[in-house]
Amino acid sequence: MGSDATDATPSLEEVRWRLDAIDGELLKLIDERASLAGAVAAAKRASGDTGFGLRPGREAHIVRKLLDTPRKAASDALVIRIWREIMADNLARQGPYHLAVFGGREPARAVELTRLRFGTAPRLSIVPSAQDALAVARSPWGVAVLPLAADTPWWGRLLAEPKLKVFAALPCLASWGPQAALAVAEVEVEPTGGDQTFWVTDSPKSGAAIAETLSQTDIAAELIAEAGGLKLFSLSGYFQPHDERLARAPGQLTGVIGAAPEQFDV
């Protein structure tokens, strides 16, 4: 099958032959990549690294690089879903990677978003409460996915648990819908060059008033959840927990609870 515009339109048989050939090539490469997961695990053990292998910052860099690569037909959604599956399978081969989903009023949507982000390789369980989900996040190789819902201010608990961090916002594409859930685990959160930081405050001021105050120190903030006297904001950019600008922000009980890459198609 030539690429010259003057070439005759290939027959259906020729197209199918090429598809079969590509499938064979893809399978060989996918199999080779999967086999490297064992080598990665062995190299980590040799260096004394036996911790959770999830690296959300590296995954974000991989996805952005792929999306920036010129393509003829493959959509962003197709690229992300394929590589999320590949990366999840690689990680699941390195340790007891598992997910806990508390979906609140929309458990089916929460599970759908979880699989879009973390693939089908890790074991997934649906739990009855936010507390149960966070318990899994505290366990080795565990990840919790919880909803951004006003009736479940689970995110406020993270102020007292600095080891647990929000590291992903779901879904990762705006075309898949607005952000509706967050992922939490005991992982290192690093800047990726296009991030949002999650910040909690107990200030009684309105969300608009707090956002206005933050804007005076060049922080763009958006209220994304409010419950039980606490407010959860998304801050544009990556902020360290002890950023001086946040130390002067409204509220007595405040804190950064994590950060995540912005949606890739925003």
Side-chain angles (χ1 to χ4, degrees):
M1 293 174 61
S3 59
D4 194 318
T6 62
D7 286 353
T9 301
S11 67
L12 180 58
E13 289 72 18
E14 290 175 309
V15 174
R16 286 174 172 168
W17 176 87
R18 181 57 183 149
L19 287 173
D20 289 344
I22 291 174
D23 287 345
E25 294 168 10
L26 283 173
L27 179 57
K28 289 180 181 179
L29 292 173
I30 290 172
D31 185 54
E32 180 180 359
R33 197 185 194 286
S35 69
L36 292 175
V40 170
K44 287 182 176 180
R45 287 194 297 270
S47 66
D49 182 1
T50 59
F52 194 3
L54 180 63
R55 298 293 182 269
R58 172 168 166 74
E59 288 187 4
H61 285 302
I62 291 173
V63 171
R64 286 205 183 102
K65 183 177 180 180
L66 290 167
L67 295 181
D68 288 341
T69 301
R71 287 163 278 148
K72 293 182 180 179
S75 67
D76 288 353
L78 176 61
V79 171
I80 288 176
R81 292 191 68 179
I82 289 174
W83 262 268
R84 286 295 190 200
E85 288 288 352
I86 290 174
M87 290 187 289
D89 181 80
N90 184 285
L91 187 57
R93 291 171 184 270
Q94 297 178 40
Y97 186 20
H98 58 291
L99 312 168
V101 180
F102 169 63
R105 296 180 179 179
E106 297 186 87
R109 176 59 172 162
V111 170
E112 176 189 23
L113 293 177
T114 301
R115 285 307 191 193
L116 284 172
R117 173 58 179 81
F118 298 102
T120 57
R123 175 171 54 84
L124 184 150
S125 59
I126 300 174
V127 296
S129 70
Q131 183 176 353
D132 292 323
L134 293 177
V136 171
R138 297 185 196 99
S139 68
W141 291 74
V143 169
V145 174
L146 306 101
L148 281 171
D151 60 342
T152 311
W154 58 266
W155 32 270
R157 301 178 188 177
L158 301 190
L159 289 173
E161 298 195 55
K163 288 186 178 181
L164 289 180
K165 298 182 180 69
V166 173
F167 68 90
L170 286 58
C172 65
L173 287 179
S175 61
W176 288 342
Q179 291 183 346
L182 301 176
V184 178
E186 290 189 356
V187 294
E188 292 299 320
V189 178
E190 300 173 333
T192 70
D195 303 287
Q196 57 180 319
T197 298
F198 298 97
W199 177 75
V200 175
T201 178
D202 67 348
S203 172
K205 294 183 178 181
S206 69
I210 295 171
E212 173 60 28
T213 300
L214 291 171
S215 71
Q216 295 173 10
T217 54
D218 298 322
I219 298 177
E222 177 185 0
L223 179 66
I224 57 176
E226 180 177 5
L230 295 177
K231 297 178 178 70
L232 174 63
F233 284 84
S234 170
L235 311 181
S236 180
Y238 180 86
F239 291 84
Q240 297 283 356
H242 303 296
D243 190 292
E244 292 184 0
R245 292 169 292 176
L246 295 178
R248 299 193 296 270
Q252 297 298 314
L253 180 64
T254 67
V256 169
I257 60 169
E262 295 177 339
Q263 291 182 314
F264 294 117
D265 56 342
V266 169

